[in-house]
């Protein structure tokens, strides 16, 4: 499986500001995914990021709030814009890696918005 | 209706016990099934894929029943290190994203 790193690992931010989360993979991958895990909840897909095209957002998530970049096949960023306390969550990136389309996750970014 | 439903538990079992988790999924066109394990404050990690014929990996056995849209995970001879949240995960045909259940929390007690 791929080795995935995320930066920052955690941050505390004030409401109204924005945070950009980076995801780096040690091998080239076609698809990268961004998930959110709110406290006590399971994971919810935010968007799928393909290199060279616009990200595809899931219902309830919009580009203005969660802009995504995918400049190459090993890197992606997710920005959480104009943050509110409701955005406090763990944000995880993942890549597809197997015969059955299983995914492997980065260590996550723990965001607290005050 | 949720895509994937699990009993959240918690399941508290003694060391050495056998424990089983169940999961149901709503979309009959689902194509791939997995169990992930998530430790506290960590990312989910793939435990095993679930094959149509069922599969076993050491103390862990996964079963799939397509007719009933039901997946199970059996853990034999539980160890303290098995304490974690177990997530049932499904991929729908034609989609790439994973649908996660809410997870079943297991605590193995000495």
């Amino acid at each position: 499986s791929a080795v995935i790193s995320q930066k920052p690992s955690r941050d505390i931010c004030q409401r109204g500001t924005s945070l950009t989360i980076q995801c780096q993979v040690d091998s080239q991958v076609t698809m990268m995914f961004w998930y959110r895990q709110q406290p006590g909840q399971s994971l919810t897909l935010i968007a799928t990021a393909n290199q060279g095209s616009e990200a595809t957002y899931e219902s309830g998530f919009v580009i203005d709030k969660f802009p995504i970049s995918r400049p190459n096949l090993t890197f992606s960023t997710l920005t959480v814009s104009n943050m509110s306390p409701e955005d406090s969550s763990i944000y995880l990136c993942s890549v597809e890696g197997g015969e059955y389309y299983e995914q492997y996750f980065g260590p996550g970014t723990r965001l607290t918005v005050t | 209706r949720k895509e994937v439903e699990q009993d959240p538990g918690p399941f508290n079992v003694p060391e050495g016990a056998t424990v089983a988790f169940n999961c149901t999924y709503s979309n009959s066109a689902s194509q791939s099934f997995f169990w992930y394990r998530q430790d506290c404050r960590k990312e989910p990690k793939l435990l095993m894929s679930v094959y149509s014929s069922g599969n076993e990996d050491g103390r862990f056995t996964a079963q799939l029943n397509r007719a009933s849209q039901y997946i199970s995970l059996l853990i034999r001879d539980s160890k303290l290190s098995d304490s974690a949240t177990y997530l049932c995960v499904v991929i729908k045909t034609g989609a790439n994203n994973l649908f996660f259940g809410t997870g079943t929390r297991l605590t193995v007690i000495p």
Side-chain angles (χ1 to χ4, degrees):
Chain A
S1 62
V3 176
I4 306 167
S5 60
Q6 283 184 237
K7 282 196 267 189
S9 58
R10 59 178 64 231
D11 208 341
I12 301 173
C13 302
Q14 291 190 341
R15 69 170 68 214
T17 63
S18 297
L19 176 72
T20 295
I21 302 167
Q22 299 179 7
C23 180
Q24 180 77 52
V25 189
D26 70 342
S27 57
Q28 294 185 339
V29 294
T30 304
M31 302 180 76
M32 295 178 77
F33 305 86
W34 286 98
Y35 289 82
R36 180 174 75 181
Q37 187 171 28
Q38 293 180 302
Q41 307 278 325
S42 195
L43 282 77
T44 301
L45 181 67
I46 298 172
T48 303
N50 295 328
Q51 193 267 339
S53 63
E54 292 286 331
T56 303
Y57 289 82
E58 297 300 304
S59 175
F61 298 97
V62 295
I63 188 170
D64 289 345
K65 175 67 176 176
F66 297 102
I68 286 171
S69 78
R70 183 79 201 274
N72 57 53
L73 291 174
T74 63
F75 187 78
S76 179
T77 67
L78 169 77
T79 298
V80 186
S81 303
N82 189 24
M83 288 184 283
S84 66
E86 293 70 36
D87 294 320
S88 297
S89 187
I90 300 171
Y91 292 84
L92 300 113
C93 67
S94 73
V95 303
E96 199 172 83
E99 178 183 356
Y100 297 97
Y101 307 101
E102 58 266 37
Q103 293 178 16
Y104 299 92
F105 288 84
T109 296
R110 185 176 295 271
L111 171 63
T112 302
V113 184
T114 61
Chain B
R1 185 182 171 189
K2 290 182 181 178
E3 295 280 350
V4 182
E5 301 214 45
Q6 288 181 256
D7 178 350
F11 285 64
N12 299 315
V13 303
E15 270 186 291
T18 295
V19 61
F21 305 137
N22 301 320
C23 164
T24 58
Y25 58 96
S26 62
N27 192 317
S28 61
S30 297
Q31 62 174 1
S32 299
F33 310 89
F34 311 96
W35 285 100
Y36 277 73
R37 170 192 170 130
Q38 187 171 27
D39 292 285
C40 187
R41 303 177 82 86
K42 297 285 191 180
E43 73 274 21
K45 292 187 177 176
L46 180 66
L47 178 65
M48 57 197 305
S49 302
V50 186
Y51 307 138
S52 295
S53 55
N55 47 300
E56 187 173 308
D57 183 0
R59 298 182 293 109
F60 299 85
T61 300
Q63 298 278 353
L64 168 64
N65 184 321
R66 284 190 183 272
S68 302
Q69 295 180 203
Y70 168 100
I71 306 158
S72 66
L73 176 69
L74 182 78
I75 305 175
R76 289 180 297 278
D77 188 23
S78 299
K79 311 290 184 192
L80 296 177
S81 57
D82 294 333
S83 297
T85 296
Y86 290 84
L87 301 164
C88 176
V89 182
V90 170
I91 298 179
K92 291 193 294 190
T93 301
N96 296 104
N97 53 299
L98 307 181
F99 290 91
F100 283 80
T102 52
T104 299
R105 187 177 178 91
L106 170 68
T107 301
V108 180
I109 304 164

